């Protein structure tokens, strides 16, 4: 099992719909979880951080965390073509002060 | 507040040469992490420095090394370059605690011919 696992996609979503991105991780003791967005040819930029079980909302983005299931997700409401990018899940596995990234999910929003 | 600055943006080197990449973190950030990104492998952790000490190291050969200076600026060195070292090298800074997110620079695109 990969330490941080994401479906590589591509995931295609119509404009205006909800995009759902998922991530599972291997260490039950992980405490910090992050979602990054990376446009082609650019560096990753932080979208959301989440540390507690439940939902955290920021504008059109909602992060969901379930530590018991070792699962974190990102929902993008009212998807826009500008949301087309690769989304990276990052986890501080084993509390060792480094972030481990998934391989990313490529999201395409279809106008 | 200025972001993370990486120099140079692009590098072309020949096999066997060595290269040094530079990173200036966000002011106040004491941790600098380096990642290698390739299409096939995604983001792979190289190492992390905090207050001039290497705190974590990834699974890369000894040809990859780094250091951090007292002003938190960091350098990464790759010796005896191989074709497979062609990648985007990303530096990221943070406050250095597990809950602190990383903030990435624009990266250095290294091409080895």
């Amino acid at each position: 099992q990969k330490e941080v696992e994401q479906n590589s996609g591509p995931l295609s979503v119509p404009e205006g719909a909800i995009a759902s991105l998922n991530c599972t991780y291997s260490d039950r003791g992980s405490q910090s979880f992050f979602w990054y967005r990376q446009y082609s040819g650019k560096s990753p930029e932080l979208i959301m951080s989440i540390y507690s079980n439940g939902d955290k909302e920021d504008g059109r983005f909602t992060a969901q965390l379930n530590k018991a299931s070792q699962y974190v997700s990102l929902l993008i409401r009212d998807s826009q073509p500008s949301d087309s990018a690769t989304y990276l899940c990052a986890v501080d596995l084993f509390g060792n002060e480094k972030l481990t990234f998934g391989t990313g999910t490529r999201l395409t929003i279809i106008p | 507040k200025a972001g993370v600055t990486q120099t140079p943006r692009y590098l072309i080197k020949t096999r066997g040469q060595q290269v040094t990449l530079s990173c200036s973190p966000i002011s106040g950030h004491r941790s600098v992490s380096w990642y290698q990104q390739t299409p096939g492998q995604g983001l792979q952790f190289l190492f992390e420095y905090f207050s001039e000490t290497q705190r974590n190291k990834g699974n890369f050969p000894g040809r990859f090394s780094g250091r951090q200076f007292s002003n938190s600026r960091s350098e990464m060195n790759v010796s005896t370059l191989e074709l497979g070292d062609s990648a985007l090298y990303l530096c990221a800074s943070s406050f250095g605690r597990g809950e602190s997110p990383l903030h990435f620079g624009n990266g250095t695109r290294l091409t080895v011919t």
Side-chain angles (χ1 to χ4, degrees):
Chain A
Q1 179 195 3
K2 289 183 183 177
E3 292 183 314
V4 179
E5 197 151 3
Q6 297 180 253
N7 188 322
S8 62
L11 175 64
S12 295
V13 173
E15 184 176 355
I18 296 175
S20 178
L21 304 161
N22 304 315
C23 173
T24 58
Y25 57 95
S26 61
D27 171 40
R28 186 175 290 274
S30 297
Q31 298 293 323
S32 302
F33 308 86
F34 307 92
W35 283 100
Y36 286 82
R37 176 177 62 198
Q38 187 173 24
Y39 292 113
S40 180
K42 302 293 186 182
S43 61
E45 57 178 322
L46 179 70
I47 300 175
M48 297 275 291
S49 58
I50 186 166
Y51 307 102
S52 304
N53 278 329
D55 294 359
K56 179 182 178 182
E57 187 174 318
D58 183 0
R60 295 187 297 111
F61 298 96
T62 299
Q64 299 176 317
L65 176 61
N66 184 326
K67 290 184 180 180
S69 300
Q70 295 171 238
Y71 175 95
V72 58
S73 65
L74 180 70
L75 302 177
I76 307 174
R77 291 183 301 282
D78 188 24
S79 296
Q80 303 296 310
S82 58
D83 296 326
S84 297
T86 296
Y87 289 80
L88 299 163
C89 171
V91 181
D92 73 326
L93 295 176
F94 313 111
N96 59 7
E97 308 290 353
K98 70 171 192 178
L99 288 187
T100 301
F101 285 79
T103 53
T105 298
R106 189 155 56 93
L107 174 66
T108 300
I109 305 302
I110 304 168
Chain B
K1 192 184 247 188
V4 178
T5 304
Q6 288 188 249
T7 56
R9 290 294 309 277
Y10 302 93
L11 267 177
I12 300 176
K13 292 287 188 179
T14 306
R15 270 182 303 176
Q17 288 186 314
Q18 74 157 15
V19 66
T20 299
L21 313 181
S22 181
C23 173
S24 294
I26 290 171
S27 178
H29 285 185
R30 295 168 64 188
S31 171
V32 172
S33 299
W34 289 89
Y35 288 82
Q36 180 196 66
Q37 188 173 36
T38 58
Q41 298 296 319
L43 272 166
Q44 299 291 307
F45 175 77
L46 282 155
F47 27 67
E48 185 248 355
Y49 287 86
F50 182 83
S51 294
E52 302 180 66
T53 300
Q54 186 181 86
R55 230 175 17 176
N56 284 288
K57 188 177 188 305
N59 296 322
F60 278 81
R63 300 184 297 107
F64 292 81
S65 63
R67 59 178 175 169
Q68 186 180 33
F69 303 96
S70 58
N71 61 359
S72 293
R73 191 177 70 83
S74 178
E75 287 183 347
M76 188 191 106
N77 185 275
V78 188
S79 62
T80 320
L81 284 166
E82 301 178 359
L83 294 179
D85 296 334
S86 295
L88 179 66
Y89 289 88
L90 290 160
C91 166
S93 74
S94 78
F95 288 110
R97 299 181 297 273
E99 68 272 20
S100 302
L102 297 180
H103 298 272
F104 285 88
N106 288 326
T108 295
R109 172 75 62 184
L110 172 64
T111 302
V112 182
T113 62

